[in-house]
Amino acid sequence: MDTKLYTIILAAGEGKRMKSDIPKVFHPIGGLPMIEYILRRAIDLPSDKVIVVVGIGKEIIMDYVAKRYEDAIFVHQDKQLGTADAVRSASQELSELEGDVLILNGDVPLIKHVLIKDFYEQYKASKASLGFITSTLDNPEGYGRVIKKAGKFKIVEENDADDKVKKVKEINAGIYLASCKLLLKALERVKPSEVTGEYYLTDIISILQSMKKKVMNYHTDDADQVLGVNNRKALAHSESILNQRKLNRLMASGVTIFDPGTTYIEQDVVIGKDSIVYPNSFLMNGTKIGKRCIIWNGTIIKDSKINDGVEIKPYSVIEQSIVGKDAIVGPFARLRPETVLDENVRIGNFVEVKKSSIGKGSKVNHLSYIGDATIGSRVNVGAGTITCNYDGFRKNPTVIEDEAFIGSDTALVAPVRVGRGAIIGAASAITKDVPPGALGIERSEQRTIEGYAMKRKSKLGGR
Ligand code: UD1
Ligand code: CA
């Protein structure tokens, strides 16, 4: 690619039809703000410069974009006077450019790299001054309609369209390539719409043609890619398209998705081959799952690493945790942030683990809370064991060394340490360290009163 290419992302609008306090391009799809997808397209192309036009909600957008791509340039559109005005806000930056500009609406997140690249190549080959993408939709409502007459194009916006124009199914996608110099010239001539008072970027198409410049049109049959997200319904629709694309990629790479209709996997999740994901699972960004894992129904996993051969049984919730090879977790388990489970660990039903590490082959199988604990290898933690980590002021640590055996219903009052191989008698409240190999038991002796039940019955039952 010989000439330079700048990309402008239009992201200053409020998105009124979203009825939201969040700027439209910041609404998440597939676990990432809409603008992330547009930004990726701009970076992948590659663009020599990426200019983002910001206005409504600019702080959060600038903060996000700058963190993702430090070379991004921001230009400010103080009043949202329309898409032509938005591009005009970047005039200063553009006036320095000899080359082409790609303009991307910030609310067309489903467009793929391949399509933009193909558009760019055809635009270059055509030697046109401007190119724009169109598609044909069954329901074109809300989009600018493409009117072709004697080889000339005109875009009519929904608000300005009469009934005849509204029937036109060919729409403008909101993605343009133009020679920078001519774009700036055409922008100067855009007049506000008589209906809405807005400056429409789409007017540059007829303006350039009236200047006898060549305009090319790139038509795509894949209407999904040009979906403009203007309202919550389109947001949900784009969510489902992105999700299906993700599931298709995973299946193509050797992951079994039991029911693609009810499985939700965010865009950046990684899953190794021969893993199986069952229905109603929600796997969120930041999650990496190894090979041969089984993720049962209703599981939610976020920001976590699940190593090879792990089985997550139904209805488990896992966040910011690491699960070691061949471990089994759940059903109904909760792993909270900073949980690290080593190989072959078993975490059973109704067990909550927080900020704790559990060593190889250890088991916490039933009804327990493990918080701020370091548990060694081959430890057995009995049913109902609780680490009392919080004294009302501080979080205190519990240490359980290798091969210790914690009887059921034990309260480990932290800070406390149970030595290697030690045994804790069931139902103890352990407040002092137990040395290696010792028995720790804290429980009043059992009393047995012979014949008590019969005596009570004759006393009370006699009344
Ligand atoms: C726009 C097109 C329409 C096309 C559709 C495709 C115009 C006039 N119309 O309509 O032909 O079919 O996209 O999805 O361009 N923006 C600003 N500043 C503004 C106004 C908008 O930055 O003053 C940004 C918005 O944040 C958004 C993008 O430009 O990312 C498009 O604006 P939007 O209002 O959604 O345009 P549409 O009505 O969808
Ligand atoms: Ca739009």
Side-chain angles (χ1 to χ4, degrees):
M1 285 169 199
D2 37 1
T3 50
K4 295 231 176 217
L5 177 69
Y6 283 12
T7 296
I8 302 183
I9 298 174
L10 305 185
E14 175 186 355
K16 285 193 187 70
R17 292 161 280 184
M18 294 293 283
K19 307 252 183 328
S20 174
D21 292 335
I22 304 164
K24 176 164 69 179
V25 300
F26 210 67
H27 278 263
I29 307 177
L32 300 165
M34 219 187 285
I35 195 164
E36 169 70 33
Y37 299 92
I38 315 290
L39 198 57
R40 285 185 190 182
R41 291 306 83 89
I43 299 167
D44 295 349
L45 206 53
S47 307
D48 292 294
K49 261 187 194 178
V50 177
I51 301 167
V52 186
V53 184
V54 292
I56 306 286
K58 61 181 166 193
E59 290 76 16
I60 55 169
I61 295 169
M62 285 163 63
D63 186 56
Y64 180 86
V65 172
K67 274 192 198 125
R68 276 281 293 107
Y69 185 64
E70 59 180 20
D71 293 336
I73 297 163
F74 299 100
V75 299
H76 303 260
Q77 186 195 24
D78 298 327
K79 274 197 195 133
Q80 281 59 57
L81 300 176
T83 44
D85 182 70
V87 178
R88 223 184 267 147
S89 326
S91 302
Q92 179 97 48
E93 275 67 22
L94 296 179
S95 63
E96 293 157 15
L97 173 72
E98 294 282 343
D100 295 305
V101 194
L102 169 72
I103 304 171
L104 298 172
N105 272 4
D107 62 350
V108 187
L110 301 184
I111 190 133
K112 293 180 185 171
H113 170 67
V114 199
L115 193 143
I116 297 182
K117 202 165 153 275
D118 193 37
F119 170 43
Y120 184 47
E121 279 161 13
Q122 293 203 22
Y123 161 78
K124 287 308 263 182
S126 75
K127 300 213 160 33
S129 305
L130 177 119
F132 66 109
I133 300 181
T134 61
S135 191
T136 307
L137 307 188
D138 289 337
N139 177 13
E141 199 188 328
Y143 292 87
R145 309 299 206 285
V146 183
I147 314 292
K148 280 185 205 157
K149 222 189 222 164
K152 301 239 157 132
F153 302 102
K154 188 173 161 26
I155 313 283
V156 182
E157 292 305 306
E158 173 89 21
N159 286 331
D160 303 17
D162 58 25
D163 288 346
K164 196 173 155 223
V165 169
K166 279 185 183 159
K167 289 205 179 81
V168 173
K169 291 190 185 303
E170 186 168 14
I171 62 98
N172 166 40
I175 293 159
Y176 319 83
L177 270 161
S179 128
C180 192
K181 291 263 151 353
L182 289 168
L183 170 70
L184 289 173
K185 275 207 184 110
L187 280 174
E188 282 172 20
R189 300 199 192 175
V190 175
K191 297 199 176 61
S193 151
E194 282 170 15
V195 181
T196 62
E198 280 181 38
Y199 293 84
Y200 296 153
L201 182 58
T202 43
D203 285 355
I204 59 172
I205 295 169
S206 37
I207 293 172
L208 282 170
Q209 283 185 318
S210 71
M211 290 162 72
K212 304 270 183 291
K213 302 296 173 193
K214 186 172 174 189
V215 169
M216 64 87 72
N217 158 230
Y218 180 100
H219 191 273
T220 173
D221 291 331
D222 187 359
D224 283 354
Q225 289 200 54
V226 300
L227 181 96
V229 181
N230 292 322
N231 51 42
R232 307 268 180 169
K233 196 176 163 201
L235 186 71
H237 187 46
S238 59
E239 183 79 66
S240 100
I241 294 169
L242 266 186
N243 188 48
Q244 289 310 315
R245 279 188 193 169
K246 176 69 184 179
L247 299 178
N248 289 341
R249 287 199 296 274
L250 286 169
M251 290 188 279
S253 72
V255 176
T256 295
I257 305 291
F258 192 85
D259 178 13
T262 58
T263 303
Y264 306 91
I265 302 184
E266 289 184 346
Q267 295 299 298
D268 292 345
V269 170
V270 176
I271 307 182
K273 72 174 178 193
D274 289 324
S275 286
I276 306 178
V277 184
Y278 282 99
N280 290 318
S281 298
F282 193 6
L283 308 180
M284 302 170 82
N285 284 337
T287 297
K288 214 172 161 197
I289 295 174
K291 296 179 197 157
R292 300 179 309 281
C293 292
I294 307 176
I295 311 297
W296 285 102
N297 310 45
T299 292
I300 301 175
I301 307 179
K302 187 182 181 191
D303 285 332
S304 296
K305 180 158 196 317
I306 312 294
N307 285 291
D308 294 349
V310 165
E311 181 172 1
I312 308 290
K313 294 194 169 181
Y315 306 106
S316 297
V317 178
I318 299 177
E319 191 181 350
Q320 279 178 46
S321 295
I322 298 172
V323 179
K325 228 166 122 263
D326 299 322
I328 300 177
V329 174
F332 302 101
R334 179 164 182 217
L335 305 184
R336 289 171 52 201
E338 293 180 59
T339 291
V340 179
L341 308 182
D342 210 330
E343 289 175 31
N344 283 304
V345 164
R346 299 278 184 275
I347 299 294
N349 36 230
F350 307 108
V351 172
E352 172 181 349
V353 185
K354 185 219 81 173
K355 205 177 180 183
S356 296
S357 67
I358 302 185
K360 282 197 183 95
S362 290
K363 295 176 183 161
V364 188
N365 266 334
H366 327 270
L367 301 155
S368 284
Y369 171 61
I370 304 295
D372 303 286
T374 306
I375 299 181
S377 302
R378 297 174 303 283
V379 168
N380 189 86
V381 176
T385 295
I386 305 288
T387 54
C388 309
N389 60 330
Y390 186 53
D391 57 16
F393 300 95
R394 271 171 298 268
K395 298 281 166 63
N396 299 300
T398 298
V399 178
I400 304 175
E401 293 178 2
D402 295 350
E403 285 164 16
F405 181 94
I406 314 294
S408 295
D409 195 26
T410 293
L412 294 159
V413 182
V416 74
R417 172 181 287 264
V418 177
R420 187 184 173 106
I423 296 172
I424 305 296
S428 297
I430 299 298
T431 52
K432 294 178 209 139
D433 290 356
V434 179
L439 167 71
I441 185 158
E442 185 281 333
R443 188 203 290 164
S444 48
E445 211 172 307
Q446 181 176 335
R447 283 206 297 154
T448 306
I449 303 167
E450 297 285 351
Y452 176 85
M454 280 305 287
K455 273 186 234 158
R456 185 166 183 270
K457 195 174 176 194
S458 59
K459 192 176 161 200
L460 298 177
R463 263 189 214 153

